[in-house]
Amino acid sequence: MSLKQQSPEIFYTYMDSPIGRLTVVASDRGLTEIRFPNHEQAAHAPSLPATARANHFVAQALVQLSTYFAGKLRDFDLTLAPQGTAFQQTVWTQLRAIPYGATASYSAIATAIGKPTAARAVGMANGKNPLPIVVPCHRIIGSNGALTGFAGGLDTKRWLLCHEQPTD
């Protein structure tokens, strides 16, 4: 008798947002992906089942993302289950420590995780973040203050950063 590794069930739905139609994906363990309309960041992601259906992780994400886009949520409180290497997971955890409305550089993240010479590797991990917005990779800018690459496109990154600025 052979034992097959059972792949987790995938749940997803779509969400219309100010930055386009997002695809919110979860497993039975937590939120796994947020895909932008251009879907660039999910090039190596598994394809989704033909029929969309949500679970409680997807439902919670939809509520919190809607509240975020309405300007009433600064910190997400969701069960996350992204797939990545130990280094990527470390970087993604550090990204979540960047406060709403703030930015950081790749170099600052590398220093914060105890690997000050790993700015380039941090950039690679940032680019593979499967949970943009919730794990705020849009808050990473170049050390010179310039906007750098973003899976959703620089216009989307600019919109997210402006959205997080206080309006007085």
Side-chain angles (χ1 to χ4, degrees):
M1 176 185 343
S2 73
L3 297 174
K4 280 197 227 178
Q5 183 177 2
Q6 194 170 9
S7 58
E9 194 167 2
I10 296 174
F11 302 89
Y12 72 99
T13 195
Y14 301 102
M15 174 189 181
D16 290 322
S17 79
I19 57 173
R21 191 174 206 203
L22 303 175
T23 306
V24 181
V25 185
S27 69
D28 53 359
R29 293 184 5 246
L31 196 64
T32 57
E33 288 181 78
I34 296 173
R35 297 180 182 181
F36 289 112
N38 63 12
H39 191 56
E40 285 177 22
Q41 84 277 18
H44 302 290
S47 57
L48 298 173
T51 305
R53 66 187 180 105
N55 66 2
H56 64 283
F57 296 119
V58 170
Q60 289 173 339
L62 292 176
V63 168
Q64 290 190 31
L65 283 164
S66 293
T67 307
Y68 167 83
F69 285 121
K72 298 178 181 176
L73 180 79
R74 292 175 170 238
D75 297 305
F76 291 93
D77 183 19
L78 298 166
T79 302
L80 306 181
Q83 297 295 304
T85 66
F87 180 79
Q88 289 169 336
Q89 298 282 348
T90 300
V91 170
W92 300 338
T93 297
Q94 190 61 42
L95 293 177
R96 294 191 75 202
I98 303 168
Y100 181 94
T103 57
S105 67
Y106 298 110
S107 174
I109 297 298
T111 299
I113 64 171
K115 299 192 179 290
T117 60
R120 198 170 287 238
V122 165
M124 296 295 288
N126 193 53
K128 292 191 183 293
N129 172 21
L131 289 167
I133 305 166
V134 172
V135 176
C137 54
H138 62 278
R139 295 179 188 156
I140 300 298
I141 60 173
S143 57
N144 64 356
L147 295 187
T148 56
F150 185 63
L154 290 183
D155 287 340
T156 298
K157 182 173 188 158
R158 191 174 294 107
W159 189 94
L160 291 166
L161 291 172
C162 288
H163 174 69
E164 293 183 0
Q165 294 307 303
T167 56
D168 294 330

